[in-house]
Amino acid sequence: MPERRTVALVTLGCARNEVDSEELAGRLEADGWQLVDDAADADVAVVNTCGFVEAAKKDSVDALLEANDLKGHGRTQAVVAVGCMAERYGKELAEALPEADGVLGFDDYSDISSRLQTILSGGHVEAHTPRDRRKLLPLTPVERQAAAAEVALPGHGAPEDLPEGLAPASGPRTLRKRLDDNPVASIKLASGCDRRCSFCAIPAFRGSFISRRPSDVLNEARWLAGQGVSEVVLVSENNTSYGKDLGDIRLLETLLAEIAGIDGIERIRVSYLQPAEMRPGLIDAMTGTDKVVPYFDLSFQHSAPAVLRRMRRFGNTDQFLELLAGIRAKAPQAGARSNFIVGFPGETEADFAELERFIGSARLDAIGVFGYSDEDGTEAATLDGKLPEDVVADRLARLSRLAEELTAQRAEERIGSEVLVLVESVEDGVVEGRAAHQAPETDGLTTLLGADDAEVGRYYRATVVGTEGVDLVAEATERFVPGADA
């Protein structure tokens, strides 16, 4: 019997990419590949790249080069690029990085096994040719679902795509293979984006917005619960648009309640929210539905009206503060985070001061700050009023310092409050997890004291007794057993 082919998936970038990697893993395992954790142990290393900003692209190239260095020193025979950077640049990336034995786009995902086998056998697979994926679906959202079957949508794998006999005969079926045993997992609600923010290239290579069917989302949530997942994070480029192409813009509110009814799912987190699309019913659902944490990942980007207009976005400082006040009126301990771009073309000192005013009043738990740089193919790259690099760097440093100070103060405000902590790491006597206002990897951690029986995946009620920057230190008061209080 021949030795099984082995493959390792190296994932960079956001949670959406992690979901895509697990779909690729599901397809490969279904076709007989053996998944391994370490690229050095794999015949093929598949690097799921990120193509969002320059730093992420550099990390992706570095990961490809690192995997390439394994060739000739062990088992690894081929390195293949997939993901956003591969989709966005395709042949250009292949020419610039001959170390990659293949550059595959989203259209290759359904045949990923045969593509890798061809490469592994020494054959040639033509590098992906980029195209504007916004043109692959109808302009009108309600017409898109009928056309979706003809378009590659990573992370949307449906049960019917699974070969018969390779999934349980009963129970939920999903085209996905978990790549770790973390009690937290993301579920993709949708792909693409219909917004036209002038600084963002994502719609061009991820396409127009299209929702997944609620039944597919629910089946995947049930399957994840069966895999030991207790917290699900709903991700997409814009969750506030979910359902608009299914004829019901309020579908997310209904879906949250249905996910909450799944046995084993104890915490539901909604990410990637557009402030301009927030509505009272969604706020009510996110603050009043059992198991849904009051966590608001709001994409503000700036607060000065003139800058927002140039970004092709909406709102201002006072409107954003009013939105946050409305949320906290319903859930005083709600978590809120956002990202901001400084040094955008045309940004004046007065605009920057307005952004400082907003951040100074917003009481955000986590803040990401980025200095503006041109992105290929975006409208912003063509705008006049570009700021000198030293001005952008100065504003980036100033706002980063302010953000660090303010988020630390916000963490201190939580001292004395009760939090529910999901344990994610127990190592050398140190127990770490996350409270409801802390999303995976982005918003800090909670160190749990007094939980001698702690195990990964357990929940504890705890009282916050200290802080370290945005991180909390909390004293466990009791183990929370799901269902015990029902």
Side-chain angles (χ1 to χ4, degrees):
M1 183 175 180
E3 187 177 8
R4 292 183 72 187
R5 304 160 295 176
T6 56
V7 59
L9 284 151
V10 180
T11 306
L12 294 93
C14 65
R16 300 184 294 272
N17 254 18
E18 293 171 4
V19 175
D20 294 351
S21 284
E22 293 199 345
E23 181 185 298
L24 289 173
R27 291 182 183 277
L28 289 166
E29 185 178 67
D31 202 46
W33 290 77
Q34 180 181 348
L35 278 296
V36 296
D37 296 330
D38 192 337
D41 299 326
D43 296 318
V44 184
V46 177
V47 180
N48 191 348
T49 61
C50 179
F52 182 41
V53 293
E54 285 304 317
K57 287 183 274 190
K58 181 182 182 303
D59 289 344
S60 296
V61 170
D62 289 346
L64 287 162
L65 292 174
E66 183 178 340
N68 182 71
D69 287 343
L70 297 172
K71 292 190 293 188
H73 300 286
R75 180 161 184 154
T76 309
Q77 301 173 52
V79 176
V80 175
V82 299
C84 291
M85 190 176 181
E87 175 66 36
R88 184 176 180 183
Y89 295 104
K91 291 184 176 181
E92 182 182 342
L93 176 62
E95 292 169 0
L97 198 70
E99 292 87 350
D101 300 285
V103 176
L104 307 181
F106 298 152
D107 293 331
D108 293 303
Y109 282 21
S110 61
D111 294 316
I112 188 68
S113 178
S114 63
R115 299 287 193 273
L116 296 190
Q117 184 58 60
T118 297
I119 293 168
L120 187 59
S121 301
H124 175 69
V125 174
E126 189 72 20
H128 162 68
T129 300
R131 53 180 172 167
D132 189 340
R133 298 191 73 85
R134 290 172 294 191
K135 299 178 180 179
L136 302 183
L137 290 167
L139 184 64
T140 305
V142 294
E143 297 176 355
R144 292 177 188 163
Q145 289 291 323
E150 306 302 319
V151 177
L153 297 168
H156 287 231
E160 52 264 31
D161 295 327
L162 274 172
E164 288 298 326
L166 292 176
S170 62
R173 291 161 54 88
T174 188
L175 185 58
R176 183 168 179 172
K177 165 71 175 177
R178 295 227 65 205
L179 295 174
D180 59 41
D181 56 1
N182 195 304
V184 184
S186 296
I187 299 177
K188 190 173 281 192
L189 279 186
S191 286
C193 186
D194 286 343
R195 302 186 71 85
R196 294 295 179 262
C197 302
S198 62
F199 55 83
C200 185
I202 288 176
F205 61 85
R206 277 287 184 180
S208 298
F209 184 90
I210 186 160
S211 304
R212 290 183 72 192
R213 294 174 297 184
S215 59
D216 289 344
V217 174
L218 290 168
N219 275 335
E220 191 162 319
R222 294 186 188 100
W223 180 83
L224 287 168
Q227 301 289 309
V229 170
S230 68
E231 177 178 332
V232 293
V233 184
L234 304 181
V235 301
S236 74
E237 276 73 25
N238 178 8
N239 279 338
T240 37
S241 283
Y242 180 72
K244 72 175 186 179
D245 52 321
L246 294 169
D248 184 0
I249 193 60
R250 295 175 177 81
L251 192 56
L252 180 54
E253 289 94 303
T254 304
L255 184 62
L256 289 174
E258 292 184 277
I259 297 173
I262 296 173
D263 289 340
I265 300 299
E266 300 302 331
R267 200 146 79 176
I268 304 162
R269 187 179 304 276
V270 184
S271 60
Y272 303 106
L273 302 168
Q274 285 290 340
E277 296 181 27
M278 290 300 294
R279 50 193 180 271
L282 181 55
I283 295 173
D284 288 344
M286 292 178 62
T287 57
T289 303
D290 183 40
K291 300 183 181 180
V292 178
V293 295
Y295 171 82
F296 291 80
D297 175 15
L298 295 158
S299 177
F300 289 121
Q301 302 298 344
H302 212 284
S303 72
V307 176
L308 287 169
R309 282 196 296 272
R310 293 201 115 200
M311 289 181 168
R312 294 198 179 276
R313 296 176 67 86
F314 307 94
N316 58 50
T317 295
D318 293 335
Q319 289 175 357
F320 293 162
L321 291 176
E322 183 179 350
L323 171 60
L324 289 167
I327 289 168
R328 289 172 177 141
K330 296 180 181 295
Q333 294 299 319
R337 68 143 7 252
S338 192
N339 294 324
F340 299 91
I341 299 172
V342 297
F344 194 79
E347 181 191 62
T348 65
E349 274 292 343
D351 294 329
F352 183 72
E354 183 69 0
L355 178 56
E356 289 180 307
R357 180 172 83 89
F358 171 65
I359 290 179
S361 301
R363 296 170 60 228
L364 298 173
D365 293 279
I367 297 172
V369 184
F370 301 88
Y372 173 81
S373 61
D374 287 340
E375 276 295 313
D376 299 333
T378 63
E379 180 187 354
T382 69
L383 294 176
D384 57 11
K386 299 284 176 60
L387 275 61
E389 288 186 6
D390 61 332
V391 173
V392 176
D394 176 67
R395 292 180 184 176
L396 174 62
R398 286 160 56 190
L399 199 69
S400 295
R401 287 194 297 269
L402 178 62
E404 184 176 355
E405 176 184 340
L406 292 172
T407 52
Q409 290 177 10
R410 175 62 179 144
E412 290 174 358
E413 291 178 21
R414 295 188 181 275
I415 293 177
S417 66
E418 183 183 90
V419 290
L420 185 63
V421 179
L422 169 60
V423 175
E424 292 186 318
S425 171
V426 180
E427 191 171 336
D428 297 328
V430 178
V431 181
E432 292 184 333
R434 292 177 299 102
H437 70 282
Q438 296 171 318
E441 300 182 7
T442 59
D443 300 344
L445 297 167
T446 297
T447 299
L448 196 62
L449 307 177
D452 298 332
D453 61 342
E455 293 179 6
V456 172
R458 286 184 174 178
Y459 289 83
Y460 290 83
R461 288 193 174 95
T463 301
V464 180
V465 296
T467 65
E468 297 177 5
V470 297
D471 297 331
L472 304 182
V473 179
E475 184 77 36
T477 54
E478 63 175 338
R479 181 183 167 198
F480 171 74
V481 180
D485 297 335

